Amino acid sequence: MRKFLIDTDTASDDAVAIIMAHRWVDVHVEAVTIVSGNVSVEQGAKNALYTLEVCKASTPVYIGCAKPMLRECSYAHWFHGDDGMGNKFYAEAKSKPQSAHAVDVIIDKIKTYPGEITIVTLGPLTNIATALLRAPEIASLVQRCVIMGGAANTVGNVTPAAEYNIWVDPEAAKIVFHSGMPCEMVGWELIPIRQKNATDGPSCRDA
């Protein structure tokens, strides 16, 4: 089984990715860590827990950095709605986030499974960058870091040059890209999202 650690600012698109990972036969998601981005970390945790409950998964959820490293929060309510799920305001899940901080969990998981963890980042890179600042040695212990972010060969979705996840915390992105971690950038040009999809709620039937 491939060991995934999903770092997310859970909105509707991330919810679909979480569902897909939990439905994939050779993937085990070790943890879901929450970062500030599309919504606050509190709302992101609610959305992640709801999505996991839909899939009948018991993956632990950990809340991480509540704001970018040097900047103020820039939530994407304009796209994903106030709740990050197209203003569907789904009922809260029965489960709650774990008490440990996401950054501590990221470091611990990577050190516990050296060379085995694939980090999948679906939001800004604040949690990953903070983990690297605290424990730079983890860069060489990660198998892969797959980053949903950037706009290398296309117009950005926030500015002509910038994709949202990188734009929210460019300082964090610089730390991650310069860390020596084996990063694979899945840029905006490869992730076309139609506006109407922002209002679609997650369902295991869609995975």
Side-chain angles (χ1 to χ4, degrees):
M1 297 289 284
R2 292 182 290 163
K3 295 179 173 63
F4 276 24
L5 193 157
I6 298 178
D7 190 68
T8 174
D9 56 345
T10 327
S12 51
D13 56 337
D14 293 16
V16 173
I18 290 170
I19 290 169
M20 291 177 69
H22 283 84
R23 301 282 285 182
W24 212 259
V25 293
D26 71 335
V27 168
H28 180 263
V29 182
E30 295 287 330
V32 173
T33 55
I34 309 299
V35 67
S36 176
N38 289 318
V39 291
S40 68
V41 289
E42 293 80 12
Q43 185 63 50
K46 289 179 181 179
N47 294 345
L49 290 164
Y50 171 79
T51 303
L52 292 167
E53 191 171 88
V54 166
C55 280
K56 298 179 172 58
S58 57
T59 306
V61 173
Y62 302 89
I63 292 177
C65 299
K67 63 182 293 294
M69 300 187 83
L70 300 178
R71 301 166 188 248
E72 296 303 314
C73 296
S74 297
Y75 302 134
H77 295 156
W78 50 273
F79 186 85
H80 290 288
D82 291 340
D83 66 345
M85 303 289 258
N87 286 334
K88 297 294 186 181
F89 298 103
Y90 295 107
E92 287 194 28
K94 296 181 178 65
S95 56
K96 302 296 180 184
Q98 303 298 307
S99 59
H101 194 279
V103 171
D104 296 326
V105 172
I106 291 167
I107 295 170
D108 179 68
K109 290 292 183 183
I110 293 169
K111 288 187 173 182
T112 300
Y113 302 107
E116 296 185 55
I117 293 290
T118 294
I119 299 174
V120 179
T121 73
L122 305 175
L125 296 171
T126 316
N127 284 343
I128 310 304
T130 304
L132 286 163
L133 289 177
R134 290 191 190 175
E137 66 274 14
I138 66 173
S140 63
L141 302 178
V142 172
Q143 184 182 84
R144 301 169 68 195
C145 180
V146 182
I147 297 167
M148 186 177 78
N153 297 297
T154 189
V155 174
N157 63 339
V158 181
T159 75
E163 178 276 332
Y164 177 81
N165 287 340
I166 305 301
W167 174 81
V168 165
D169 198 343
E171 288 79 18
K174 182 177 181 179
I175 290 169
V176 173
F177 284 123
H178 286 263
S179 68
M181 186 179 287
C183 294
E184 302 170 33
M185 191 182 85
V186 183
W188 176 244
E189 60 269 33
L190 301 177
I191 322 169
I193 300 175
R194 298 191 300 269
Q195 178 71 37
K196 68 176 183 179
N197 288 348
T199 62
D200 294 339
S203 168
C204 281
R205 295 192 306 272
D206 300 331

